[in-house]
Amino acid sequence: MIVSGDWLTRAAPVLHGLNRAGYQALVVGGAVRNAVLGLPVSDVDIATDATPEQVMAMAAALGLRTIPTGIAHGTVTVMGLEVTTFRRDIETDGRHAVVAFSSDIHQDAARRDFTMNALYVDAAGVVIDPLGGMDDLLARRLRFVGDAGQRIAEDYLRILRYFRFHAIYADQGFDADILAAISNNLCGLETLSRERIGAEMRKLLGANDPAPSINTMTQTGVLRCILPGADPQYLAPLVHIAGDVRSWLARLAVMGGQDVQAALRLSKAEMDIYQTLRDEIGTMARPAALGWKYGRAVAMDVIHLRAAMFETPPSPDWQADIDRGAAANFPVTAADLMPALSGPMLGEKLRGLQSRWLQSDLTLTKAQLLS
């Protein structure tokens, strides 16, 4: 198979430069996988049999800017692209790996997580498939490279990556042997940083339909380990109701959980939105009021959450009401109440008028509010 795209054009100077210097250089991993499937390509990674020093020497000879981002692990950034020497694992502990450089593409492929990620492309766009990953990719079959239990024990984050990749790329059901290997390695999740767990969960919850993966995570005990108290009962209805709106925070809010901020290392801004969604699910605030208070995106998430959890369709024209609220301006200002009022009394009066205005579905005019 031959693939092409702007991503390959962007990598071409580095690929050709290493090739002319006598080295093998190939784009590897996600860029190849997505290109084969016709999906957008973002990150472009290059694998080579050149050592980091040889990569930097090539780049210097061509005047290409380099950054020694991870020389100990074989990685140099050239023209914004990560170029990593072929590697083989010497020792792993479930979080970190001690690696040795290699000149063998098969050794490099053998240390990768899934067969669909062990695909390479040369400068001409020709796909190189050392492990038979192309058949798995085209069949939308997610399979570990080698023994699943061994791969997971090398890096326990692969448990979460399995569920994320299944939600995005797999068309087939979950493999029973893989789920058994995951269940046998649950204790390894405790060794992972919450930042890594949070990053994976953001990506998983942003998939087209994460519900099957999340449900299977619940059955295997994974969800309980990383987010105690979470309940995915209403996740599938939310995904169905929201359609193309893939709000990972809304999907997190519909599940809940204990100490979500600490469990997933949410930022303050993310936690504020999460808490707003949770709080507004049970309020009587109308769509227009939600649009005015929080903006269109958050207001839509609230309405979707209510519809999913209460099995009640939104009111007619709810989206138009949200847009009306998002564009509205509260008609009364502090200046309208001064100098008759000031200080705490002024603030209290403004809040009271604002409450009346929201209860009127944003219809009361300035004159009506002040009369």
Side-chain angles (χ1 to χ4, degrees):
M1 176 180 286
I2 297 177
V3 295
S4 62
D6 293 343
W7 58 274
L8 188 56
T9 302
R10 182 155 59 95
V14 179
L15 298 176
H16 288 304
L18 286 168
N19 291 159
R20 285 193 294 267
Y23 305 111
Q24 188 176 20
L26 307 162
V27 176
V28 64
V32 184
R33 178 194 65 230
N34 282 21
V36 170
L37 294 178
L39 300 174
V41 172
S42 52
D43 296 332
V44 179
D45 297 321
I46 294 175
T48 179
D49 57 1
T51 65
E53 292 76 16
Q54 291 167 334
V55 172
M56 289 190 291
M58 176 281 300
L62 296 179
L64 303 178
R65 181 171 179 265
T66 63
I67 303 174
T69 42
I71 288 184
H73 298 284
T75 301
V76 177
T77 299
V78 184
M79 296 178 57
L81 306 174
E82 287 195 352
V83 183
T84 303
T85 305
F86 291 159
R87 298 177 293 178
R88 58 187 176 87
D89 289 337
I90 300 298
E91 182 181 338
T92 59
D93 63 3
R95 291 181 298 172
H96 311 290
V98 177
V99 299
F101 298 153
S102 172
S103 59
D104 187 346
I105 189 176
H106 289 85
Q107 288 184 335
D108 187 74
R111 69 177 301 274
R112 298 184 180 274
D113 49 8
F114 308 117
T115 58
M116 63 172 59
N117 287 338
L119 296 171
Y120 302 74
V121 162
D122 65 16
V126 177
V127 177
I128 299 170
D129 181 11
L131 303 180
M134 181 63 77
D135 288 341
D136 289 332
L137 179 60
L138 294 178
R140 296 293 189 116
R141 180 173 54 242
L142 185 58
R143 188 166 61 90
F144 276 97
V145 173
D147 179 72
Q150 180 181 342
R151 290 281 86 82
I152 290 169
E154 292 168 352
D155 184 354
Y156 293 112
L157 191 68
R158 287 172 174 169
I159 291 176
L160 302 185
R161 283 174 60 83
Y162 173 76
F163 290 111
R164 170 166 68 92
F165 271 69
H166 200 286
I168 298 173
Y169 298 106
D171 277 346
Q172 303 185 17
F174 293 89
D175 184 282
D177 292 335
I178 292 177
L179 295 183
I182 288 172
S183 296
N184 291 334
N185 284 278
L186 289 180
C187 58
L189 292 170
E190 299 174 2
T191 68
L192 299 176
S193 72
R194 292 296 163 174
E195 287 79 7
R196 295 182 79 194
I197 292 174
E200 280 298 319
M201 287 299 290
R202 286 171 174 83
K203 295 173 184 176
L204 169 55
L205 290 173
N208 182 39
D209 184 4
S213 282
I214 294 291
N215 287 335
T216 307
M217 288 169 67
T218 303
Q219 295 164 10
T220 54
V222 172
L223 191 63
R224 182 180 66 254
C225 289
I226 62 172
L227 189 58
D231 182 355
Q233 176 183 357
Y234 299 107
L235 178 58
L238 174 64
V239 170
H240 174 72
I241 289 168
D244 292 334
V245 180
R246 303 179 188 178
S247 170
W248 72 268
L249 269 172
R251 292 168 175 183
L252 179 61
V254 86
M255 296 192 302
Q258 300 171 11
D259 201 359
V260 171
Q261 186 171 25
L264 303 181
R265 288 296 189 269
L266 300 188
S267 68
K268 183 180 183 304
E270 291 169 341
M271 190 60 194
D272 287 345
I273 295 174
Y274 170 86
Q275 196 59 58
T276 293
L277 296 176
R278 294 284 294 179
D279 291 344
E280 290 289 358
I281 290 172
T283 72
M284 300 297 291
R286 297 178 182 179
L290 293 170
W292 179 77
K293 291 175 68 175
Y294 307 116
R296 188 174 192 274
V298 172
M300 289 188 65
D301 283 346
V302 171
I303 299 302
H304 288 151
L305 285 164
R306 289 175 179 173
M309 298 184 73
F310 300 137
E311 300 181 355
T312 304
S315 60
D317 300 324
W318 65 275
Q319 294 189 59
D321 286 339
I322 286 177
D323 291 337
R324 174 170 61 87
N329 291 308
F330 180 49
V332 178
T333 66
D336 297 322
L337 303 176
M338 299 169 62
L341 296 174
S342 62
M345 293 183 64
L346 174 61
E348 183 179 350
K349 183 64 173 179
L350 277 173
R351 287 190 292 272
L353 292 176
Q354 189 178 97
S355 178
R356 286 182 56 203
W357 182 63
L358 293 174
Q359 290 174 6
S360 76
D361 203 24
L362 286 59
T363 60
L364 288 178
T365 65
K366 179 177 180 178
Q368 291 172 323
L369 288 168
L370 294 177
S371 64

